[in-house]
Amino acid sequence: MHQTVHVELGERSYDVEIGPNLLAQSGAMIAPLLHRPKIAVLTDENVAELHLDALRDGLASAGIEMTSLALPAGEATKSWPHFERAVEWLLSEKVERRDVVVALGGGVIGDLAGFAAAVLRRGVRFVQIPTSLLAQVDSSVGGKTGINAPQGKNLIGAFHQPSLVLADTSVLGTMTQRDFLSGYGEVVKYGLLGDAEFFEWLEANGPDVSDGEMAARVRAVTRSVQMKADIVARDETEQGDRALLNLGHTFCHALEAATGYSDRLLHGEGVAIGCALAFELSSRLGLCSQEDPSRVRAHLRAMGMKTDLADIPGDLPGAEALVDLMAQDKKVIDGQLRFILARGIGQAFVTSDVPREAVLSVLEDALTTV
Ligand code: GLY
């Protein structure tokens, strides 16, 4: 059941190992990277409670000694104060230039630890051990690292590729169903943006993925990571194609901002609703058939996911205000909104050529059902 996806980036290439019970094998997998049998692990308090002992045992079985720092769980940790604490802890642990830092956790820890590794002693290597579905299929792969600023999310950071990613699909069993389905929003995104067959497979097998059927989980994670790896290999620093990974994200970021980045709307939930809206917009612009947005919504609905604006609890601002929030997105170039639209399921493309009125009309109609 164990799969390997290679991310081809010349001298920065690495493998993503995907399968059950990889924590137990972590020592054997990480050992080839080490100059001395010692590793510093950054994690969060929740993940530490659940998985740190398993990682310690896995490393010890290869004779690797581990020290760890557990930061508070949650998005607020992706900030200067916790970043400073992490970097100073790594220095106090005497992590050297040839050592390896491990990120054990979800997207927050992966992004923060990766950024800490990027700047520590001008750059040390790091290994991602993502423990959430979202981190396994998205944030642990591709080398985007960083923290949030008061001015916005992910505004401080660096591209720093990991040396190895261990996506242990067994640990997904400890996620809440809501968090798991939020990550599944990113999985669906891959089918929608570039692989109609994968989307069809998800329509048939999504319930098995959600119910914890291991072979289905491994396949869903592997196909998602393979798609991300191919896109990142073509466009590491997002000069072009990598923006395809932002399907659904322009709508999502406006909705996240409108809901105050609170648990009214998790990131992957916003991505799923955003994908449905991006297909609605594509259909209204005559780019794809009217059936496509209905099919996207039908799958999200069948999975028990948030699908429409009405599924977001509480009030939302009007369409104009939401479009204004989109204009604050960091992906805006020269004041032009960039959208990922689609000519059909699996056929996404990047464009700045979207009339504001068309976006407004999609949002106005979506808001009338709230
Ligand atoms: N999460 C989007 C990217 O890695 O480019």
Side-chain angles (χ1 to χ4, degrees):
M1 216 183 276
H2 177 172
Q3 302 286 328
T4 303
V5 173
H6 183 68
V7 186
E8 181 50 57
L9 287 168
E11 61 185 16
R12 294 184 305 291
S13 297
Y14 53 95
D15 286 336
V16 183
E17 306 292 351
I18 302 154
N21 303 317
L22 294 192
L23 284 184
Q25 301 164 54
S26 56
M29 289 177 166
I30 293 173
L33 298 173
L34 303 183
H35 289 278
R36 55 177 177 159
K38 191 169 184 283
I39 235 166
V41 178
L42 288 167
T43 186
D44 75 40
E45 287 160 3
N46 293 351
V47 172
E49 175 105 17
L50 292 166
H51 305 301
L52 198 58
D53 285 345
L55 178 62
R56 185 182 291 106
D57 292 348
L59 294 170
S61 68
I64 301 168
E65 193 191 315
M66 179 195 105
T67 59
S68 65
L69 173 68
L71 297 167
E75 188 74 24
T77 293
K78 252 177 83 167
S79 58
W80 281 124
H82 293 287
F83 177 72
E84 183 180 5
R85 184 170 164 215
V87 171
E88 288 190 357
W89 176 76
L90 291 169
L91 290 172
S92 71
E93 290 298 316
K94 303 196 169 31
V95 174
E96 295 176 3
R97 192 78 204 278
R98 300 197 313 170
D99 288 334
V100 169
V101 172
V102 168
L104 174 73
V108 167
I109 287 298
D111 285 6
L112 180 141
F115 186 36
V119 299
L120 190 80
R121 299 185 189 280
R122 299 206 175 91
V124 300
R125 292 165 303 148
F126 79 116
V127 172
Q128 289 269 22
I129 307 186
T131 55
S132 69
L133 180 59
L134 188 139
Q136 293 194 353
V137 299
D138 184 22
S139 56
S140 67
V141 180
K144 281 188 182 174
T145 71
I147 56 174
N148 302 327
Q151 290 82 352
K153 285 182 76 172
N154 297 321
L155 292 183
I156 303 156
F159 284 100
H160 186 53
Q161 298 293 343
S163 299
L164 175 70
V165 182
L166 301 182
D168 182 337
T169 46
S170 300
V171 306
L172 301 178
T174 60
M175 294 182 72
T176 65
Q177 187 66 357
R178 184 178 177 200
D179 282 334
F180 186 87
L181 285 179
S182 169
Y184 186 82
E186 297 276 3
V187 174
V188 174
K189 178 196 78 176
Y190 287 107
L192 295 176
L193 79 85
D195 187 346
E197 261 177 46
F198 182 46
F199 182 73
E200 214 171 294
W201 183 85
L202 290 172
E203 287 178 310
N205 298 280
D208 286 346
V209 175
S210 165
D211 290 348
E213 211 274 294
M214 197 53 78
R217 283 196 168 176
V218 172
R219 182 158 172 189
V221 174
T222 302
R223 183 61 193 137
S224 301
V225 169
Q226 183 66 63
M227 290 190 69
K228 178 149 189 184
D230 290 348
I231 290 172
V232 168
R234 288 204 299 274
D235 178 19
E236 183 180 8
T237 56
E238 201 168 313
Q239 306 304 309
D241 263 13
R242 186 163 176 164
L244 289 171
L245 296 171
N246 295 325
L247 175 63
H249 283 63
T250 306
F251 286 107
C252 171
H253 286 145
L255 295 171
E256 283 185 300
T259 50
Y261 299 95
S262 67
D263 72 354
R264 279 174 66 198
L265 185 73
L266 303 181
H267 177 70
E269 293 174 337
V271 170
I273 295 173
C275 285
L277 290 170
F279 269 79
E280 185 62 44
L281 180 57
S282 302
S283 153
R284 297 219 189 162
L285 292 170
L287 292 164
C288 70
S289 77
Q290 288 177 346
E291 286 74 49
D292 286 339
S294 307
R295 201 174 148 196
V296 174
R297 278 199 294 270
H299 178 53
L300 300 178
R301 188 65 70 214
M303 293 297 292
M305 297 166 70
K306 286 189 173 58
T307 309
D308 299 305
L309 298 188
D311 298 324
I312 303 172
D315 292 336
L316 288 174
E320 288 276 1
L322 285 173
V323 175
D324 288 346
L325 287 172
M326 287 177 183
Q328 288 166 24
D329 194 288
K330 66 178 180 304
K331 294 188 298 301
V332 170
I333 298 176
D334 293 337
Q336 287 278 78
L337 276 179
R338 255 196 321 168
F339 278 91
I340 317 305
L341 297 180
R343 296 193 176 86
I345 286 176
Q347 298 173 59
F349 64 98
V350 187
T351 178
S352 297
D353 188 19
V354 181
R356 185 180 166 98
E357 294 67 41
V359 183
L360 276 174
S361 134
V362 165
L363 286 170
E364 273 157 9
D365 290 352
L367 285 161
T368 53
T369 59
V370 172

